[in-house]
Amino acid sequence: MSDLHARMAARVGDLTAVVVARCAAEAPFYGALPRATLQGEVARSIAAVHALLLKALRDGGGGPMGQGDLTRLIEWSARRAEERVPLEAVIAAYLIGAEVWWQTLTEVAEPGELAGAGGKLLACLHAALPAVVLAHQNAQEDLHSEDKRVRRALLGALLAGRPYEELASVARVAVAGEYEVVAFAFESDPPSRLVQSSLDAFTGIPVLMDHVARIALLPGRSDVPGLVARLEKDVGQPVRAAAARSSVPAAIPSAAQEAGRVLDLVRRLGRPPGCYRLDDVLLEHQLARPGDGLVRLAAKLDPLEDHPYLLETLRVFVERGLNRRQTALELCVHRNTLDYRLQRVSALTGLDLAVPAQARLIQAALVARDLAGPADHRGVTGWQGSAGAAESG
């Protein structure tokens, strides 16, 4: 094999140039690299692999690669992973290099040499690729673990209003001027990876998200309703979300508190899945503040406590914007029956739904009862505890 080794050694410089050119043309990662990087670091890496292939040709018998050779490949692969070279780009470079090496062998090898040289090439690939893949994946896992730790620390700093610049630099995250701070609620716990993948795919960038607190930062003026719809589809369940805009990083903590309060109200009020902002629950947010006035407001509907069908009728009537026809259709009752029930509501509560001011009072009383939840809204202590929870977010 010594003559073939010499012939291939004479072609290595040209081979390296061909492999570099093909990598740039066929692998998007390499195509995006600067010319100086391709002709410098990338070319040196390819030349080093060619040196191992030449060594296999020169050594003749024995295994295709010694332990020292594999160790060097593993070291190079870990270094590529640390440099953020995708594994698919690494594999593409090895396969392109193998193809170019084989084509050159067919040009310079004698008929009796080709089979043995081809066997050496396949044996080298068989030994090298599993080691390269494993080394790259192990290094990537270490990097991802560290990246996630730093990103969690960065998000924690932004949400708490602490200095974040150094963490942003380490995490290679450009902290935007504007953010949509979004709090999420799921019916059941979806896998964190699925949620993260959905957010990243929708925005086109890695999204900072705390998967325990279920709060995320979306840069700029993101389409939050569209994101929620995409997320519902991806996780296969309804999603409630509350968003608040932060114009500068320093405002992120207050925006996060606002989103949390809005989401708490949405859940306690039993609102349907979707995306909400403070303006969507402005009255409810104000009513959620504790005080004796709220207790008295909720108590306006106490006379209906023993008449659940009247409470249901009143709720549907209010939800349908005081539209009698739509209310009757939803309740599947005759208009006369609906009118009778509404008259009973007015008689028991002393509030006339035909009077706009009293109708608004009834609507507010319904909200007050909903905010009270399972607590006894007629007891000041229970109500204040519930309202205080909303206030703390």
Side-chain angles (χ1 to χ4, degrees):
M1 284 290 193
S2 58
D3 290 344
L4 179 57
H5 172 272
R7 278 176 259 141
M8 289 296 292
R11 301 283 295 271
V12 161
D14 294 336
L15 286 179
T16 298
V18 171
V19 174
V20 169
R22 283 193 52 183
C23 284
E26 300 174 24
F29 172 82
Y30 292 106
L33 291 177
R35 181 180 180 85
T37 303
L38 287 170
Q39 295 182 343
E41 185 176 348
V42 173
R44 285 193 295 272
S45 296
I46 292 170
V49 174
H50 286 159
L52 293 180
L53 292 174
L54 282 172
K55 182 173 179 291
L57 281 181
R58 184 193 63 207
D59 290 347
M65 284 191 181
Q67 191 60 44
D69 298 332
L70 283 176
T71 299
R72 283 193 290 277
L73 282 180
I74 289 171
E75 180 186 349
W76 295 339
S77 298
R79 196 179 307 157
R80 296 295 84 80
E82 291 169 359
E83 294 166 354
R84 311 288 170 164
V85 181
L87 179 58
E88 58 269 24
V90 173
I91 297 302
Y94 270 92
L95 294 179
I96 290 171
E99 184 179 341
V100 171
W101 184 267
W102 171 250
Q103 288 173 345
T104 307
L105 280 174
T106 62
E107 295 170 5
V108 302
E110 299 294 336
E113 299 172 324
L114 194 56
K120 283 283 186 183
L121 173 61
L122 289 176
C124 286
L125 285 175
H126 183 77
L129 287 182
V132 165
V133 170
L134 182 59
H136 201 97
Q137 288 178 335
N138 287 342
Q140 281 185 325
E141 287 177 8
D142 291 342
L143 286 171
H144 289 165
S145 178
E146 178 63 14
D147 284 348
K148 286 192 288 186
R149 185 193 68 78
V150 174
R151 290 170 67 84
R152 281 197 302 269
L154 171 61
L155 179 57
L158 288 168
L159 291 173
R162 298 193 302 269
Y164 61 85
E165 290 80 3
E166 184 176 346
L167 286 168
S169 176
V170 174
R172 295 180 302 281
V173 173
V175 175
E178 279 190 308
Y179 277 101
E180 291 284 5
V181 185
V182 187
F184 296 95
F186 302 94
E187 288 194 352
S188 60
D189 290 334
S192 297
R193 282 188 178 182
L194 181 58
V195 173
Q196 187 70 53
S197 297
S198 180
L199 298 181
D200 294 350
F202 186 86
T203 61
I205 61 170
V207 171
L208 292 173
M209 178 164 182
D210 184 332
H211 290 277
V212 177
R214 297 285 169 78
I215 192 163
L217 301 186
L218 307 179
R221 294 177 175 264
S222 300
D223 176 14
V224 184
L227 180 143
V228 172
R230 167 67 177 268
L231 188 57
E232 285 187 325
K233 182 177 179 181
D234 290 345
V235 303
Q237 60 175 284
V239 177
R240 290 177 178 83
R245 186 167 292 125
S246 166
S247 59
V248 293
I252 288 175
S254 59
Q257 291 175 4
E258 178 180 310
R261 288 195 296 267
V262 171
L263 184 61
D264 180 69
L265 283 172
V266 167
R267 298 178 71 180
R268 289 167 58 197
L269 292 167
R271 294 292 176 86
C275 179
Y276 296 84
R277 294 185 182 272
L278 180 57
D279 284 351
D280 298 318
V281 290
L282 205 51
L283 173 63
E284 295 85 344
H285 178 267
Q286 193 63 28
L287 287 175
R289 298 180 179 276
D292 291 345
L294 282 178
V295 176
R296 294 179 64 178
L297 181 59
K300 293 289 185 183
L301 300 183
D302 280 355
L304 305 182
E305 196 74 42
D306 297 330
H307 306 278
Y309 73 98
L310 292 181
L311 265 176
E312 179 193 13
T313 299
L314 177 60
R315 186 179 300 282
V316 174
F317 186 53
V318 168
E319 289 175 350
R320 292 296 167 267
L322 309 185
N323 185 301
R324 293 175 183 259
R325 185 181 68 84
Q326 291 183 6
T327 302
L329 285 173
E330 179 160 336
L331 293 172
C332 299
V333 299
H334 194 272
R335 279 285 297 271
N336 291 339
T337 302
L338 174 63
D339 290 342
Y340 170 76
R341 290 184 181 180
L342 295 178
Q343 289 168 8
R344 288 279 291 151
V345 168
S346 295
L348 290 169
T349 63
L351 298 171
D352 189 348
L353 285 161
V355 178
Q358 295 186 26
R360 289 194 295 271
L361 189 60
I362 286 180
Q363 289 176 283
L366 273 173
V367 172
R369 289 177 61 88
D370 288 340
L371 289 172
D376 185 356
H377 60 273
R378 289 165 293 186
V380 176
T381 303
W383 171 258
Q384 287 179 335
S386 178
E391 209 32 46
S392 64

